[in-house]
Amino acid sequence: LGLTCLSGFLHMKNKNYRIPESHEELLVPPTPCRAKTNVMFLKTHKTASSTVLNIMFRFAERYNLTVALPAGQLFHLGYPRTFVAHFVEGFQTIGQNYNIMCNHLRFNPLEVKRVMAANTFYFSILRNPIPLLESSYIYYKNNVPAFRSSRNVNEFLAAPTKFYHPADYRGNIYARNIMWFDFGYDNNAKDNAEYTQAVLEEIEQNFHLILIADYFDESMILLKHSLCWDLDDVIYFKLNSRSQDTVQRLSPENEEQIKAWCSLDWKLYLHFNQSFWRRIEETIGLEVLEKEVDHLRARQKELMETCLSEQEAVRRDHIKNKALLPFQSGAANILGYNLKQGLDNRTLRTCQKMVMPELQYTSYLYAVQHPHKKRKEVGLPLLWTRRQE
């Protein structure tokens, strides 16, 4: 037992940015377990999944893991087409030797298993469909026919079939049951009990864990326990969020309309919201969860004070380093961060990784893993131009 505790202590000491152990932690030795390094994250849309992707990328770099990245100049794995293995750069050469998969794809379990190892841990994240649809409306306003032809989200929801036409199936996937679609199912399917129950059971079989974006900090603690990761492995700064002035207020009637219009997503969310809390009660317990969430937030605050000049996200026109400017879409104003001046090189690199937007980080990792391929072009200045940097 003494050797186990000592080994665990040394392991934690070797990690970057470990929160000091509390008195309670020192009294109860941690249960030894091995960190999972083969992990597939199904990145759903408008569910805080860009923040999770950043966590996954940083973990992959920290332990020198291989990421299944999109081939060529793409930043997604064939989306919205159903995933097939050759969408991954280097699959023909590397085969089933990828550790991490987390870029956008439309889930196809048989093809994903061709890429990922047999012992891979599968997880995803869901969000309440009410704020999700409002977020999708703003973010995809210029791209989705059903959204373009309506003046605002309340007008769309008052009569969605007036704007949503089946002929625009591909263009309108973000306007109805988008999470259902991301999991590989028909987002326009008829909602009947037998069908939805079969899908929910299939998702439970394919995924070890489903997180809930509305309880993001609690989700990170549950993920940490499920993967046997350390706290600093799930520390994050919120990415791809938008300014509050672009949030449209929904009427109570239209909130109810979303439940009916996106009934498949609503049932998906309700089912896994229940299983999420049941999983916490069975594995962690609410009391321990609360303490660990406090630790996570304290550590996050500490890193914000270390890294950020404003201690918070800023609007796009206030981002000084354009290499850290997030992709802007629709009517949203996607926020980003400014780093403090004068950070030492090691701290600067850590802080840069935590605030790096999805497209820039994907481009960077692609250049590291495939140095002889043409680098993915983001259309912005590059933070690093060479691998050595």
Side-chain angles (χ1 to χ4, degrees), residues 50-58 239 353-354 356 361:
S50 292
T51 302
V52 180
L53 176 135
N54 181 273
I55 289 170
M56 301 296 292
F57 278 175
R58 285 186 284 119
L239 299 178
K353 295 290 178 64
M354 291 196 68
M356 190 180 292
Y361 212 152

Side-chain angles (χ1 to χ4, degrees), residues 21-116:
E21 293 168 337
S22 68
H23 180 64
E24 290 84 353
E25 283 180 305
L26 292 172
L27 288 175
V28 182
T31 303
C33 61
R34 183 182 296 274
K36 292 179 172 64
T37 54
N38 293 327
V39 184
M40 189 276 169
F41 169 58
L42 175 61
K43 188 179 189 298
T44 48
H45 284 80
K46 312 313 299 172
T47 58
S49 62
S50 292
T51 302
V52 180
L53 176 135
N54 181 273
I55 289 170
M56 301 296 292
F57 278 175
R58 285 186 284 119
F59 184 85
E61 282 203 271
R62 193 171 298 161
Y63 297 102
N64 197 28
L65 304 176
T66 303
V67 182
L69 293 168
Q73 289 296 303
L74 293 178
F75 288 89
H76 51 72
L77 291 161
Y79 194 90
R81 289 178 291 170
T82 301
F83 176 78
V84 290
H86 73 256
F87 291 159
V88 174
E89 185 66 71
F91 171 72
Q92 301 297 338
T93 304
I94 299 173
Q96 198 179 23
N97 289 306
Y98 294 91
N99 305 112
I100 301 292
M101 176 183 277
C102 55
N103 288 83
H104 275 306
L105 60 81
R106 190 177 185 209
F107 192 62
N108 181 357
L110 293 179
E111 287 293 305
V112 171
K113 287 175 182 176
R114 291 181 63 199
V115 176
M116 302 302 292

Side-chain angles (χ1 to χ4, degrees), residues 233-245:
D233 293 327
V234 297
I235 289 290
Y236 68 94
F237 294 161
K238 190 175 182 180
L239 299 178
N240 210 36
S241 61
R242 61 190 163 120
S243 59
Q244 281 299 305
D245 62 324

Side-chain angles (χ1 to χ4, degrees), residues 17-246:
Y17 298 113
R18 166 69 178 169
I19 283 187
E21 293 168 337
S22 68
H23 180 64
E24 290 84 353
E25 283 180 305
L26 292 172
L27 288 175
V28 182
T31 303
C33 61
R34 183 182 296 274
K36 292 179 172 64
T37 54
N38 293 327
V39 184
M40 189 276 169
F41 169 58
L42 175 61
K43 188 179 189 298
T44 48
H45 284 80
K46 312 313 299 172
T47 58
S49 62
S50 292
T51 302
V52 180
L53 176 135
N54 181 273
I55 289 170
M56 301 296 292
F57 278 175
R58 285 186 284 119
F59 184 85
E61 282 203 271
R62 193 171 298 161
Y63 297 102
N64 197 28
L65 304 176
T66 303
V67 182
L69 293 168
Q73 289 296 303
L74 293 178
F75 288 89
H76 51 72
L77 291 161
Y79 194 90
R81 289 178 291 170
T82 301
F83 176 78
V84 290
H86 73 256
F87 291 159
V88 174
E89 185 66 71
F91 171 72
Q92 301 297 338
T93 304
I94 299 173
Q96 198 179 23
N97 289 306
Y98 294 91
N99 305 112
I100 301 292
M101 176 183 277
C102 55
N103 288 83
H104 275 306
L105 60 81
R106 190 177 185 209
F107 192 62
N108 181 357
L110 293 179
E111 287 293 305
V112 171
K113 287 175 182 176
R114 291 181 63 199
V115 176
M116 302 302 292
N119 66 343
T120 294
F121 184 93
Y122 289 78
F123 79 101
S124 188
I125 190 166
L126 301 174
R127 183 184 182 187
N128 185 322
I130 295 172
L132 186 151
L133 191 136
E134 186 276 333
S135 177
S136 294
Y137 186 94
I138 299 299
Y139 195 81
Y140 298 111
K141 173 68 173 170
N142 300 333
N143 305 102
V144 173
F147 293 161
R148 273 202 311 265
S149 53
S150 54
R151 286 178 299 176
N152 55 55
V153 67
N154 282 297
E155 183 183 55
F156 169 74
L157 288 169
T161 54
K162 176 182 174 183
F163 305 102
Y164 184 97
H165 303 299
D168 295 325
Y169 164 68
R170 284 291 183 187
N172 278 329
I173 56 175
Y174 302 103
R176 190 181 195 190
N177 294 313
I178 180 59
M179 295 187 293
W180 199 265
F181 183 87
D182 288 348
F183 275 87
Y185 303 101
D186 180 4
N187 60 321
N188 290 307
K190 290 184 178 180
D191 181 357
N192 68 70
E194 185 178 353
Y195 167 67
T196 54
Q197 185 58 35
V199 168
L200 294 174
E201 290 177 3
E202 191 168 78
I203 292 173
E204 285 183 333
Q205 291 171 3
N206 287 329
F207 289 84
H208 299 95
L209 179 65
I210 303 292
L211 304 177
I212 301 296
D214 311 83
Y215 306 100
F216 194 80
D217 288 346
E218 293 83 355
S219 289
M220 292 304 98
I221 298 304
L222 182 56
L223 182 68
K224 175 180 85 76
H225 280 265
S226 300
L227 296 176
C228 194
W229 288 6
D230 285 348
L231 183 65
D232 270 14
D233 293 327
V234 297
I235 289 290
Y236 68 94
F237 294 161
K238 190 175 182 180
L239 299 178
N240 210 36
S241 61
R242 61 190 163 120
S243 59
Q244 281 299 305
D245 62 324
T246 64

